[in-house]
Amino acid sequence: QVQLVESGGGLVQAGGSLRLSCAASGRTFSGRVMGWFRQAPGKEREFVAAITWNGGNTYYKDSVKGRFTVSRDNAKSTVDLQMNSLKPEDTAVYYCAAYQYGLGSDPNYWGQGTQVTVSS
């Protein structure tokens, strides 16, 4: 089992920044692909970003490219999402996720989510 706990959400004005952090515990963190997803009210949960086990490769939803940056610290078992130039459409509950079998599969572990609200 992998336990994931997100933090760093909140209310910010459009154009502002937030940094989300996810702390992992339990089974091996360093070998896993880690991801961030989000779910807005009335919408399905969607992929936002992912990072491979060594941070060598990162992947982003098109609408957040150039604004969001995913990073990880395997020594601390954390993965962060730096969000800049936030827009009202970024408002959602953001979830940290851990993949057991890589990006070709769905994540196997999820955090409880943290609310991000961007006001116009």
Side-chain angles (χ1 to χ4, degrees):
Q1 281 284 50
V2 176
Q3 292 78 42
L4 304 171
V5 179
E6 303 97 335
S7 60
L11 173 64
V12 64
Q13 288 187 333
S17 298
L18 281 175
R19 188 176 184 90
L20 306 183
S21 187
C22 173
S25 60
R27 298 188 68 181
T28 304
F29 169 84
S30 61
R32 297 184 185 275
V33 175
M34 298 296 296
W36 286 95
F37 288 71
R38 68 187 182 188
Q39 186 168 20
K43 296 186 177 181
E44 293 188 356
R45 187 156 52 187
E46 63 179 6
F47 169 82
V48 175
I51 185 167
T52 51
W53 71 273
N54 63 352
N57 288 290
T58 55
Y59 306 88
Y60 298 95
K61 176 181 174 63
D62 284 347
S63 63
V64 308
K65 286 180 181 177
R67 300 189 297 121
F68 290 12
T69 302
V70 60
S71 60
R72 68 189 293 163
D73 185 333
N74 286 339
K76 297 180 179 180
S77 296
T78 58
V79 58
D80 292 349
L81 184 68
Q82 177 67 44
M83 306 185 295
N84 298 328
S85 302
L86 282 161
K87 304 176 181 180
E89 52 263 42
D90 294 319
T91 294
V93 177
Y94 282 70
Y95 297 90
C96 177
Y99 292 78
Q100 185 167 349
Y101 301 112
L103 281 172
S105 62
D106 291 331
N108 298 83
Y109 305 100
W110 297 89
Q112 83 288 351
T114 186
Q115 177 71 45
V116 171
T117 303
V118 184
S119 63
S120 58

